[in-house]
Structure formats: structure tokens, C-alpha cells
């Protein structure tokens, strides 16, 4: 149970939910409540499909390209650290005009929710799994984390009214701090394993 909860929390913050919510609100500001709910469900489904696909192909990516897990840990950790710095230093999301077409997959699902750092981390996590039990626990944690983000997006208008943009920005910066610690752990683990 402890492994499940720890993995859930790591994946939840990895998806940068509060930054994603800010971007979601900025890019759907001209939609009504029903439109936002529909968009939230489409984004959640797209993130779910993409994330689980990454989880099940991670091991084969390393085999095909001949990349060691430790090297990928260091690379993914570095990308994640840079993303964390961006979250800590970044300002509130700009109120942009919606691009033409459906924005649920691009850019909301990828690269806003599942960016390069998230992709790298998911590939590393999937490659580290050795037993069916661990894979099931990670899959369950990932499902719950994505579902939680989806619920936040679904209720984003209510949350924005309750918290306000300033508190959302503070939560985004706190997410960046947590991600920087996860990134540092990935990098140190990769370096230590490589040296040994």
C-alpha cells in the first residue's frame, strides 16, 4: 500500500496538475461549462492512452536504441529538473486565443500534461519494473493520478473561483519544488548506479 501511495503522489505531481489547470483555463476561457467538461474528459482520455502506451513500451525503447537505464535516468532527470525550474520561475498562464481545431490532444494532453520530462520519467519507471505485482501497482497508481488530474480539470472553473489565480500560481510553484526533488533523486540514482 505504501508503494502504491508513494507512486501515486510522484505521478500526480509529475503530471503538473496545477500548471495544467491554469493552461486549461486559459485555453478554454471562451467555452461554456458543458464545453469545458467535454474538453476535460477528452484531455483525460488522451493522457490515459498516451501514458499507458509509454509504460508498456519503455523496456523495448531501451533495447531498440541500446540506451542504458542509468543514462536515461540522468537524461530524464535533467529534463524534469529543467521543467521544475520553469514551473518555479514561470508566471501565470497567458489568456491565449484558441488555435483552430481540437486542442484536447495537442497541446493540452501533449506537451502540456505529458511533456518530454514526463515521457522520460514514465519510460524509466516502466523499465525499472521487474515483477507483475509492481507493474500492476504502478498501473493502478498511474490510472488514479490521471483520473485525479481529470477531475481537477473537470472542476477547474469551480476551483479557480474558490482559489483564485494567485493561489493556483503558488500551488504550481510548489509542484515545481517537488518535481525538482524527484529529478535530483533520479539523477543521483543514475550516477550512483553508473559509477558502480
Amino acid at each position: 500500500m505504501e508503494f502504491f501511495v508513494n507512486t501515486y503522489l510522484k505521478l500526480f505531481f509529475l503530471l503538473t496538475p496545477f500548471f495544467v489547470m491554469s493552461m486549461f483555463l486559459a485555453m478554454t476561457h471562451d467555452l461554456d461549462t458543458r464545453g469545458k467538461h467535454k474538453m476535460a474528459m477528452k484531455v483525460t482520455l488522451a493522457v490515459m492512452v498516451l501514458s499507458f502506451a509509454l509504460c508498456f513500451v519503455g523496456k523495448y525503447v531501451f533495447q531498440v536504441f541500446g540506451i542504458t537505464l542509468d543514462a536515461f535516468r540522468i537524461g530524464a532527470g535533467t529534463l524534469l529538473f529543467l521543467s521544475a525550474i520553469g514551473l518555479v520561475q514561470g508566471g501565470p498562464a497567458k489568456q491565449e486565443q484558441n488555435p483552430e481545431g481540437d486542442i484536447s490532444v495537442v497541446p493540452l494532453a501533449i506537451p502540456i500534461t505529458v511533456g518530454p520530462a514526463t515521457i522520460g520519467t514514465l519510460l524509466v519507471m516502466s523499465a525499472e519494473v521487474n515483477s507483475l505485482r509492481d507493474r500492476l501497482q504502478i498501473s493502478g497508481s498511474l490510472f488514479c493520478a490521471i483520473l485525479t488530474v481529470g477531475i481537477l480539470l473537470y472542476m477547474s472553473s469551480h476551483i479557480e473561483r474558490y482559489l483564485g489565480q494567485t493561489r493556483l500560481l503558488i500551488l504550481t510553484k510548489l509542484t515545481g519544488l517537488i518535481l525538482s526533488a524527484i529529478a535530483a533523486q533520479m539523477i543521483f540514482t543514475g550516477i550512483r548506479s553508473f559509477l558502480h
Side-chain angles (χ1 to χ4, degrees):
M1 189 63 183
E2 184 180 354
F3 177 76
F4 178 88
V5 173
N6 289 340
T7 306
Y8 163 78
L9 290 173
K10 183 184 292 185
L11 290 169
F12 175 71
F13 284 105
L14 184 66
L15 294 170
T16 59
F18 304 109
F19 170 72
V20 171
M21 190 191 307
S22 296
M23 293 300 298
F24 178 84
L25 288 167
M27 300 185 75
T28 60
H29 65 277
D30 58 341
L31 296 180
D32 58 13
T33 302
R34 184 177 179 182
K36 288 183 179 180
H37 288 173
K38 186 177 179 180
M39 184 68 69
M41 289 188 286
K42 291 172 73 175
V43 172
T44 304
L45 180 61
V47 171
M48 193 82 70
V49 171
L50 178 61
S51 298
F52 275 98
L54 290 169
C55 268
F56 287 104
V57 302
K59 186 184 299 183
Y60 306 105
V61 169
F62 297 118
Q63 291 176 356
V64 169
F65 292 101
I67 304 170
T68 65
L69 180 56
D70 293 323
F72 208 86
R73 274 196 191 107
I74 296 169
T78 303
L79 276 177
L80 186 59
F81 189 75
L82 292 174
S83 297
I85 292 174
L87 288 178
V88 172
Q89 294 182 340
K94 295 180 181 177
Q95 297 289 324
E96 302 174 3
Q97 295 295 324
N98 287 354
E100 294 296 325
D102 189 1
I103 60 170
S104 59
V105 178
V106 179
L108 283 174
I110 182 171
I112 290 176
T113 308
V114 183
T118 306
I119 291 171
T121 307
L122 286 173
L123 289 174
V124 169
M125 289 182 70
S126 68
E128 289 176 333
V129 176
N130 295 317
S131 66
L132 178 61
R133 179 183 177 183
D134 287 345
R135 185 168 293 279
L136 289 174
Q137 285 188 316
I138 289 177
S139 298
S141 299
L142 180 60
F143 177 82
C144 291
I146 295 171
L147 190 62
T148 306
V149 174
I151 292 171
L152 289 176
L153 294 182
Y154 193 86
M155 301 176 63
S156 58
S157 296
H158 300 290
I159 295 172
E160 183 186 31
R161 281 197 296 269
Y162 180 74
L163 293 178
Q165 279 295 331
T166 302
R167 290 189 179 92
L168 277 178
L169 182 59
I170 292 171
L171 289 172
T172 298
K173 291 180 182 295
L174 288 174
T175 300
L177 290 173
I178 294 170
L179 286 183
S180 67
I182 295 173
Q185 185 63 56
M186 287 179 64
I187 293 170
F188 292 150
T189 301
I191 292 173
R192 184 175 64 244
S193 300
F194 181 78
L195 292 176
H196 287 174

